[in-house]
Amino acid sequence: MENLEKIRALFPIVKNKVFLNHAAQSPLPKPVAEAMHRYVEDYSNFGTSPLETSDLGKSLFARLVGAKPEEIALAENTSMGLNIAAHVLRYPPGSKVVTTDLEYPSVVYPWLKKSLGVKVDYVRSVDGKLLLEDFERAVDDSTVAVAVSHVEYVNGFRNDLRVLSEIAHSHGAVLIVDAIQSAGVIPIDVKRDGVDFLTAACYKWLLGPPGAAYLYVKEELIENLEPPFVGWASVKQEIFETVEFWDIWSLRLSETASRFEVGTPGAVSFVGAAEAMKMLLDFGIENIERQVLELTNYLIERVKALGLRLQTPEEPQHRSGIVNFKIEKPKEVVERLRRKGIVVSARANGIRVSPHFYNTKTEIDTLIDEIRKTR
C-alpha cells in the first residue's frame, strides 16, 4: 500500500509489538484515541462537546455497508445486535433457524433460549468450508432465519451472503449476519447481497473501542417489528421537543431503526468508532482488503513452506483477513510469541493470525522465524 510509513505512524502499537491479532481486539489508532480524549476533555472542562451533536457514526456505518442511515441502530456490541434480531422475529410452531458449526457462540446462543421455542439446525463444515448445497438442503419452509457470520472467526472462511440470502428468501426466511470479522476490511453491500439484518461491533477490524456496535435492519422490515426493549431512544424524538410533560400514555415508536435503541449510549465509544470509520473510509475498504489479502497470501506461502497444515480455505472467494494453521501445543506457542512481543491467538488447536492493512511482510517474517524456532 502507498504511504505505508505514514499509515504506520498512525498506529503507536508498531513501536512496541508485532500485532497480528485484529480478529480478537485491535489497538487504537492515534486519531481514534485523540478523538476520545478530546470528547472526555470537553466534558471535563465544559460539560458538553461538539462531538455529541453528530449521529455517533450511524451515517458512516451506513456508508460502510451500503445502507441508509435510517436503517442503522446503535448497539452496545454484536451480541446485543444478534439478540435484537432474534427477538423481533415470530416463530410459529415447528419453526427452525439454520446456522453452522463454525459460528462464534453469540451467533447461536440467542436461538437456544427455550422461551423462543425454535429448533436450531447446524450446517456442518467440510474441511473448514461451508457448502452452499448443504444450506440448500437445510433451509426449508419451516425456516424463519439463516444466521451466519460473514467471515467465520476460527479459520476466516468467507460466506457468500448473496447466495445465502437467495436461499433464505426462497423459503420466506431472513438472513441475519454477524459482520464483526469483515466490517472494516472486506467490502460489504447489504442491498446487493439481500441481507435483512447485519450487526458488527467496532473493536476488531473497525479499529474502534469496545462498547460501540451498529445494527442494520432492512427498511422494509422496520415498521413491522416490535423492539424487545423500549425506552426514550426508541420513540419519535419530537416527543421531547415540547416544554410540557413528555408523553407517557402512548408508545410512538420511531419509524427508523432507532426504534431498536433503548437509552443513552456510551458516547465516548461511539465518538472513537466514528473517527475510526472515517479513517478507514478515507483509505478505502477495497484498498484495505487488497493489502490484507496480499499479507495473508504471503503468510500462507510461508506457513506451507514450513510444512504446517492450513485450516483456512485457500479459494480466493472464501478468503479474509484470518489465517489459521495447525501446530502442536498452540497455547504454549502463543505465550512464547507474546513474550517476544508478537501477538496472535490460539484457536481450534492451531494459531490464528489476523493482520490489518498497516502490517508488513517483515512482521510476517518475524512471526514465521519465531515459530520455526519453537518447532
Side-chain angles (χ1 to χ4, degrees):
M1 180 174 277
E2 293 182 12
N3 301 316
L4 187 56
E5 286 187 17
K6 290 183 178 179
I7 292 170
R8 285 174 66 79
L10 301 175
F11 292 85
I13 190 75
V14 303
K15 300 173 185 175
N16 304 303
K17 295 182 184 295
V18 173
F19 191 90
L20 301 167
N21 202 28
H22 300 86
Q25 181 171 336
S26 293
L28 293 179
K30 189 184 295 183
V32 174
E34 289 173 349
M36 296 170 70
H37 181 73
R38 283 197 307 273
Y39 180 84
V40 172
E41 285 294 302
D42 285 346
Y43 253 89
S44 179
N45 292 312
F46 308 110
T48 186
S49 170
L51 294 171
E52 71 178 348
T53 61
S54 72
D55 67 355
L56 296 180
K58 284 187 186 180
S59 57
L60 293 164
F61 188 80
R63 281 178 57 196
L64 201 71
V65 302
K68 299 177 182 178
E70 295 79 16
E71 296 174 299
I72 307 300
L74 306 179
E76 296 94 321
N77 45 54
T78 313
S79 297
M80 180 57 75
L82 290 164
N83 269 277
I84 291 170
H87 285 81
V88 297
L89 299 177
R90 297 184 181 90
Y91 303 96
S95 295
K96 72 176 184 181
V97 168
V98 172
T99 187
T100 87
D101 66 353
L102 291 181
E103 299 307 325
Y104 190 76
S106 292
V107 179
V108 183
Y109 284 169
W111 286 275
L112 295 180
K113 286 180 59 180
K114 292 180 181 178
S115 60
L116 291 187
V118 62
K119 179 185 177 186
V120 178
D121 269 4
Y122 297 84
V123 170
R124 303 289 174 178
S125 55
V126 180
D127 296 326
K129 306 172 191 176
L130 296 165
L131 306 181
L132 292 171
E133 53 263 37
D134 289 337
F135 279 100
E136 289 172 342
R137 280 191 287 268
V139 178
D140 57 27
D141 290 346
S142 66
T143 306
V144 173
V146 176
V148 297
S149 298
H150 187 189
V151 167
E152 302 297 347
Y153 82 102
V154 169
N155 67 352
F157 178 85
R158 186 196 308 200
N159 282 296
D160 188 329
L161 299 183
R162 186 171 186 174
V163 177
L164 291 182
S165 73
E166 290 171 356
I167 293 170
H169 294 162
S170 69
H171 292 279
V174 297
L175 178 64
I176 300 170
V177 177
D178 174 352
I180 197 171
Q181 297 291 8
S182 60
V185 71
I186 291 173
I188 298 171
D189 190 331
V190 291
K191 301 301 182 184
R192 177 198 65 202
D193 292 341
V195 176
D196 300 290
F197 299 84
L198 180 143
T199 186
C202 298
Y203 62 89
K204 296 182 187 286
W205 301 94
L206 284 171
L207 302 175
Y214 299 91
L215 169 66
Y216 157 80
V217 183
K218 184 161 58 173
E219 185 176 35
E220 295 83 350
L221 298 176
I222 291 172
E223 283 199 64
N224 294 321
L225 300 175
E226 185 174 55
F229 311 105
V230 291
W232 70 262
S234 315
V235 301
K236 296 179 179 180
Q237 293 303 289
E238 55 260 34
I239 290 171
F240 304 107
E241 293 172 3
T242 175
V243 296
E244 300 171 0
F245 284 107
W246 293 326
D247 180 8
I248 59 170
W249 290 270
S250 61
L251 185 62
R252 290 184 275 168
L253 292 170
S254 169
E255 295 173 352
T256 73
S258 64
R259 67 168 50 198
F260 304 110
E261 299 170 13
V262 182
T264 304
V268 66
S269 290
F270 284 100
V271 164
E275 190 65 30
M277 287 187 289
K278 284 179 195 172
M279 182 182 71
L280 292 168
L281 288 164
D282 284 346
F283 284 121
I285 303 301
E286 291 82 5
N287 296 328
I288 291 169
E289 179 189 40
R290 191 178 307 114
Q291 172 71 0
V292 169
L293 290 179
E294 185 177 325
L295 288 170
T296 53
N297 283 336
Y298 182 69
L299 171 61
I300 285 171
E301 290 173 7
R302 296 297 315 268
V303 166
K304 290 164 71 174
L306 277 183
L308 298 172
R309 184 167 74 82
L310 282 174
Q311 300 197 94
T312 295
E314 292 187 67
E315 294 87 345
Q317 70 272 25
H318 295 311
R319 290 283 314 290
S320 67
I322 295 172
V323 174
N324 189 312
F325 51 91
K326 282 274 198 181
I327 199 166
E328 291 184 12
K329 300 180 179 178
K331 285 189 175 181
E332 293 180 16
V333 173
V334 166
E335 178 57 26
R336 285 199 293 271
L337 290 170
R338 185 192 64 79
R339 291 197 294 268
K340 296 282 187 177
I342 303 168
V343 186
V344 293
S345 288
R347 294 288 187 277
N349 298 313
I351 290 181
R352 185 184 69 182
V353 185
S354 47
H356 217 313
F357 75 116
Y358 66 90
N359 289 120
T360 65
K361 289 182 180 178
T362 300
E363 290 176 312
I364 300 294
D365 289 337
T366 301
L367 166 70
I368 293 297
D369 290 345
E370 288 299 330
I371 286 175
R372 184 186 287 113
K373 294 175 186 177
T374 66
R375 300 185 69 199

